[in-house]
Amino acid sequence: MSPRMGITKEKIIDTAVQFVDEEGFTALTIATLSKRLNIRPPSLYNHVSGLHEIQVAVAVKGLTMLSEEGKQVTEGLEKADAVLAFARQYVQFVREHPGLYEAAFTHFDEKEVSAAAEHLADFVQSMMSRFGVKEGEMTHVVRGLRSLLHGFGDISNKKGFQRKEHLEDSVSYAVRIYIAGMQQQKDLSH
């Protein structure tokens, strides 16, 4: 059977990206995606091998976007300014793209997802290395920052912040404390 006019793998993935941000990553199925594309489910198999391929592509897209946006907002910035800009962008990404962000934590066993995740980690490591973080401590520093930002984004998406203070101000405050603590440590491993 020949592929339907107007339906391409790129359109399928783009539609899946939009769908997961609106409905959630776990709601993505062949049936829901086919309905969104206004085609019969078997027609998708003319373009993709199955749901797994779509999920992997969505995960890669999420990680790639997070990395690219991080690079854009930190360009030309140094040290704390770069980390603060990245932190605000990261939390904003989680809030604006909840499905893509959720997808980014799936399928790490797939080569493409693992490579995209490593690319993002390398970018964050390059930012944090400006503070003189030792190689053996870098994983801990990156995990700490990631956990801090994940927490802000996740709690925000769950409507857990109800006070009048702006979330961005809280993110900046917490990241400044994180950076200050990191800089005050002579040996971060103890």
Side-chain angles (χ1 to χ4, degrees):
M1 181 178 218
S2 64
R4 181 177 172 174
M5 294 293 289
I7 300 294
T8 63
K9 183 175 179 178
E10 183 177 324
K11 182 173 183 172
I12 291 168
I13 302 307
D14 289 345
T15 302
V17 165
Q18 182 181 8
F19 179 88
V20 299
D21 275 343
E22 293 170 5
E23 306 295 332
F25 182 70
T26 57
L28 181 65
T29 65
I30 292 295
T32 57
L33 187 56
S34 298
K35 185 175 182 180
R36 178 70 62 102
L37 288 162
N38 199 28
I39 61 174
R40 294 181 306 118
S43 298
L44 277 178
Y45 294 101
N46 291 322
H47 307 279
V48 295
S49 61
L51 182 60
H52 184 80
E53 181 181 349
I54 297 166
Q55 291 172 329
V56 167
V58 170
V60 170
K61 179 83 166 182
L63 289 163
T64 302
M65 284 177 61
L66 188 55
S67 183
E68 287 174 359
E69 289 178 15
K71 289 177 183 177
Q72 287 174 357
V73 300
T74 60
E75 189 173 336
L77 300 177
E78 293 296 322
K79 285 190 162 184
D81 290 336
V83 176
L84 287 167
F86 174 73
R88 288 187 294 267
Q89 175 273 328
Y90 189 104
V91 173
Q92 181 179 341
F93 182 89
V94 175
R95 295 172 74 194
E96 291 177 357
H97 301 287
L100 268 179
Y101 185 71
E102 182 183 358
F105 291 97
T106 65
H107 301 295
F108 279 123
D109 55 333
E110 294 294 334
K111 188 171 36 173
E112 305 96 316
V113 177
S114 181
E118 194 62 34
H119 185 70
L120 176 60
D122 288 347
F123 164 68
V124 176
Q125 286 179 2
S126 72
M127 234 184 350
M128 302 312 286
S129 69
R130 300 174 192 170
F131 293 95
V133 175
K134 296 174 187 170
E135 187 176 329
E137 299 164 344
M138 185 60 78
T139 297
H140 306 302
V141 169
V142 172
R143 283 180 181 166
L145 180 62
R146 178 178 158 196
S147 297
L148 182 67
L149 301 179
H150 174 82
F152 273 108
D154 191 47
I155 294 169
S156 175
N157 281 349
K158 293 176 179 169
K159 310 293 186 237
F161 296 120
Q162 299 296 316
R163 297 194 176 209
K164 66 178 186 212
E165 291 82 8
H166 293 281
L167 178 63
E168 292 77 15
D169 294 339
S170 296
V171 170
S172 294
Y173 182 82
V175 171
R176 281 189 191 99
I177 289 172
Y178 184 79
I179 292 170
M182 183 182 67
Q183 289 177 311
Q184 288 179 1
Q185 295 295 322
K186 298 292 184 217
D187 182 358
L188 297 175
S189 62
H190 298 292

